[in-house]
Every structure is written in C-alpha cells, then in structure tokens.
C-alpha cells in the first residue's frame, strides 16, 4: 500500500530540472525512455540553448541534469555547462562512449563536478547486449573522468538480461572507486514499450532483496547504493514502510521538477519526453518562469490525481538507500 500525502501544490520554483541538449544518440538502447536516436524537429540552436540555461539559472533551480539523447553529441555542451556554473548541483548524464582525455578535461574546466555514466552490466558480454561494443569505452571513461578530478556515478537499469550481475557490478564499482551507484527499474515507456520482455518478474526482485541489498549495507562506508523499487513489489518483498533503509518518494512531476526538451518544449517530468501530449509551453517562445506559474496545461495537470499524471500510473517509488541507516560514504 502506497502511503498518502498531499502533493497538490507546486513550489514557487522547481528544485530539479532536466535539460536535454539533443535527441541525437550514437546508440539505440532497447530501454531508452526518450526513444533517442535522431534530432528533434526544431532543436534549439546555440543561442536558444544558452538562453534555456540562463532561464534555469534565473529561476534559482538547485539541481540540473544535462542529458540527451547523448548530450556530448551537442557541440555546445561545454558552453552550456559554463552558463550553468551558478547552479549548485549540475550532473551530465552520458553513455560515456565519447569521453576522451581532452573532453574529460574540458568538462572539468567548465565547472562540472560529477558525471553519471550508464553501465548495464558487470561484464562486456552483458553490457554490450544493450549497448553494442561500448563496455571498454565506459570503463576507460571512468578512469579518464576521475583523473580529471570529476566524481563519477554509475546508473544501471535492472532488466532480465542483467539482473544476475547486480552484485557483481557493485563489486566492480568498488574496485573502480565509484562513490554512487544507482539501480533503476526498467520502465515500459519510450523504446521500452516495444521491449516489455526486459521487465523484471517477482522472482528477480526476491533475489535482489535477498542478495544485493544486504551486500549494499555492508559497503555503506565506501559507496552509496540506491535501488528504485516500484511500489507494486513492496508487499511482495515484505518491506516495512518504517524501515530506515527505505524512503517513499512521491511523484513531483510538474510540482517541483520539470524537463526542457531539445526543441525547447517544457514538460512536467523527464520520463515524459517521448509523450507529445504533455507539453506545457516552450522556452523559445516565453520565459520559463511564466510557463511554470501560468501554463493552463500545468494548472490542469497539477489537479490530477498522482496516478493519472503518469502514463505508467506511477505515484512514486520506494527507494532503498544503504546510507540511510548505515552511515555515510567516507
């Protein structure tokens, strides 16, 4: 049973935003929720991208994730990051395949502190099933980014072909000096709609609860491990909602978060990028602050029950975090 909470009111400004620099991507991952591959029609030019970055700064947003597609395919990526310097928490989310020594240094020089790399297996065979012939490039990117003084976090989507390597990946990340490892559940949205067979089943979640989570607790002083558990599995796993290792996170779509798509479209949530009927406005046409406060669509959207705001029916997730009750990473 998902706890109840009043989430009907948006904040005066978002605390969290996603800025997608391009729809282009050099990979075609079967789980891609934005269905990345080719450019969006009407993608923002250099001046428009910098304007979008300035709008995020002007609103005083604390956290911005810079993504794509593959954001490093956007030639102005570093320039955009330089414009976001005044934002306390900026993260570039990349597949890591375009990272070389020069690019790693340029990212650091732009003021960036952390990069999230996508890694979908502990072995080349498994990762390359999703992201062809890229495992070695990602592992090399980890070393290059750390040498440039950047923090590296790993993001993994848990799916049937890789769930058996969840513990192995944790051990690999410890070897590589990773401080944050995030496991997300496969979502049937974007390109995932056509790959439903990748979804985990009950037995997979039972194994994760029995093997991954206890090991994560043991390494809490060395690495933060976070696992997003869809609410429908809470009862199956016998999780006590008062257990300090777990925290309910309600959907904040359009309430304290937003997305700016590569074509300038403003949407309530990053998982909605491929859903055309969720557009609230466009930063190429009006100020972001004005869209946030005055968009008729967002006003209507915020009045909907949580489960009806999301095409997947999510109200939120239960997150396991190994550092909530077991100390902090040193």
């Amino acid at each position: 049973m998902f706890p109840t909470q009043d989430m009907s009111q948006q904040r005066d400004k978002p605390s969290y935003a996603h800025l997608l620099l391009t729809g282009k991507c050099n990979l075609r991952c079967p789980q891609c929720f934005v269905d990345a591959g080719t450019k969006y029609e009407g993608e923002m030019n250099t001046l428009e991208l910098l304007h979008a970055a300035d709008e995020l700064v002007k609103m005083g947003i604390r956290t911005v994730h810079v993504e794509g597609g593959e954001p490093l395919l956007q030639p102005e990526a570093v320039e955009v990051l330089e414009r976001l310097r005044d934002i306390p928490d900026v993260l570039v989310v990349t597949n890591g395949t375009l990272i070389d020594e020069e690019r790693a240094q340029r990212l650091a020089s732009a003021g960036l502190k952390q990069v999230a790399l996508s890694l979908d297996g502990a072995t080349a065979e498994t990762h390359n099933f999703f992201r062809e012939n890229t495992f070695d490039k990602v592992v090399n990117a980890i070393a290059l980014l750390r040498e440039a003084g950047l923090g590296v976090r790993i993001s993994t989507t848990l799916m049937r072909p890789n769930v058996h390597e969840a513990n192995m990946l944790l051990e690999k990340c410890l070897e590589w000096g990773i401080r944050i490892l995030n496991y997300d559940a496969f979502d049937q949205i974007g390109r995932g709609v056509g790959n439903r067979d990748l979804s985990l089943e009950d037995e997979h979640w039972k194994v994760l609860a029995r093997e991954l989570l206890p090991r994560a607790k043991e390494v809490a002083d060395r690495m933060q491990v976070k696992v997003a558990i869809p609410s429908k599995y809470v009862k199956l796993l016998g999780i006590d909602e008062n257990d300090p290792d777990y925290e309910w996170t309600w959907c904040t779509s359009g309430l304290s978060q937003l997305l700016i798509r590569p074509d300038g479209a403003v949407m309530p949530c990053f998982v909605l990028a491929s859903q055309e009927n969720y557009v609230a406005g466009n930063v190429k046409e009006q100020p972001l602050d004005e869209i946030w406060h005055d968009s008729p669509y967002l006003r209507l959207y915020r009045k909907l029950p949580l489960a009806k705001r999301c095409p997947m029916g999510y109200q939120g997730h239960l997150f396991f975090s190994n550092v909530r009750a077991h100390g902090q990473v040193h």
Side-chain angles (χ1 to χ4, degrees):
M1 182 74 160
F2 206 96
T4 58
Q5 180 165 320
D6 180 12
M7 297 289 288
S8 60
Q9 299 299 316
Q10 88 273 19
R11 297 183 184 177
D12 184 57
K13 63 183 178 183
S15 58
Y16 182 27
H18 297 259
L19 176 61
L20 276 56
L21 299 188
T22 181
K24 289 175 61 178
C25 190
N26 55 336
L27 303 179
R28 298 294 183 273
C29 305
Q31 72 275 26
C32 182
F33 63 84
V34 300
D35 196 12
T38 58
K39 290 179 68 172
Y40 280 70
E41 183 178 349
E43 283 201 3
M44 291 183 282
N45 60 33
T46 301
L47 290 178
E48 289 166 338
L49 276 172
L50 295 178
H51 170 72
D54 289 342
E55 289 285 280
L56 292 167
V57 174
K58 189 187 302 181
M59 283 194 77
I61 295 174
R62 177 172 180 76
T63 298
V64 174
H65 285 192
V66 178
E67 307 175 58
E70 171 47 52
L72 298 184
L73 284 173
Q74 174 55 256
E76 291 81 22
V78 171
E79 198 172 349
V80 171
L81 291 171
E82 289 172 344
R83 296 292 271 266
L84 296 173
R85 276 181 186 270
D86 291 337
I87 290 179
D89 181 20
V90 177
L91 179 74
V92 168
V93 182
T94 170
N95 61 37
T97 61
L98 303 177
I99 299 289
D100 55 21
E101 185 175 355
E102 179 184 0
R103 185 168 267 124
Q105 293 292 341
R106 289 187 67 202
L107 291 174
S109 297
L112 190 66
K113 298 293 187 294
Q114 281 200 81
V115 175
L117 297 178
S118 299
L119 189 62
D120 287 316
T123 64
E125 179 182 9
T126 299
H127 172 84
N128 290 343
F129 174 81
F130 304 101
R131 304 170 187 267
E132 187 176 359
N133 298 325
T134 62
F135 181 81
D136 291 340
K137 291 180 180 180
V138 178
V139 173
N140 186 53
I142 292 171
L144 292 174
L145 291 166
R146 294 192 68 213
E147 287 170 9
L150 290 161
V152 179
R153 65 172 66 177
I154 295 296
S155 296
T156 297
T157 302
L158 291 168
M159 297 167 281
R160 288 191 204 182
N162 71 4
V163 67
H164 66 288
E165 290 188 358
N167 275 62
M168 191 189 309
L169 179 61
L170 185 153
E171 303 299 338
K172 287 278 190 182
C173 286
L174 287 171
E175 292 176 18
W176 294 328
I178 301 298
R179 293 303 183 94
I180 301 176
L181 170 59
N182 292 329
Y183 293 96
D184 292 308
F186 171 78
D187 287 325
Q188 294 180 12
I189 195 167
R191 201 171 293 137
V193 171
N195 293 285
R196 298 176 188 272
D197 58 334
L198 297 178
S199 299
L200 298 188
E201 296 182 328
D202 292 1
E203 288 306 311
H204 297 126
W205 284 104
K206 289 178 181 178
V207 172
L208 290 168
R210 187 170 64 245
E211 299 179 4
L212 175 64
L213 305 192
R215 178 55 180 154
K217 294 177 187 180
E218 293 175 357
V219 302
D221 62 334
R222 299 166 59 192
M223 181 171 67
Q224 179 181 353
V225 180
K226 200 168 186 178
V227 184
I229 304 173
S231 55
K232 66 180 180 179
Y233 293 109
V234 174
K235 184 176 180 180
L236 170 76
L237 301 178
I239 296 171
D240 178 355
E241 66 182 57
N242 297 312
D243 187 323
D245 290 321
Y246 299 88
E247 179 182 20
W248 288 105
T249 300
W250 284 263
C251 172
T252 60
S253 175
L255 301 173
S256 64
Q257 70 163 300
L258 60 79
L259 161 80
I260 301 178
R261 218 166 54 175
D263 58 357
V266 177
M267 308 178 79
C269 173
F270 70 102
V271 300
L272 302 176
S274 62
Q275 311 295 302
E276 290 297 330
N277 56 324
Y278 284 84
V279 175
N282 196 298
V283 291
K284 293 193 290 188
E285 301 166 359
Q286 61 187 130
L288 184 60
D289 182 79
E290 184 178 300
I291 297 171
W292 180 255
H293 288 101
D294 301 328
S295 163
Y297 173 79
L298 277 180
R299 288 180 176 177
L300 174 64
Y301 180 84
R302 288 164 182 149
K303 293 178 181 178
L304 296 173
L306 282 175
K308 294 202 179 218
R309 293 179 195 160
C310 177
M312 296 176 290
Y314 284 168
Q315 296 183 54
H317 277 83
L318 182 69
F319 281 93
F320 164 86
S321 174
N322 65 332
V323 302
R324 282 182 55 78
H326 300 274
Q328 299 294 319
V329 178
H330 299 311

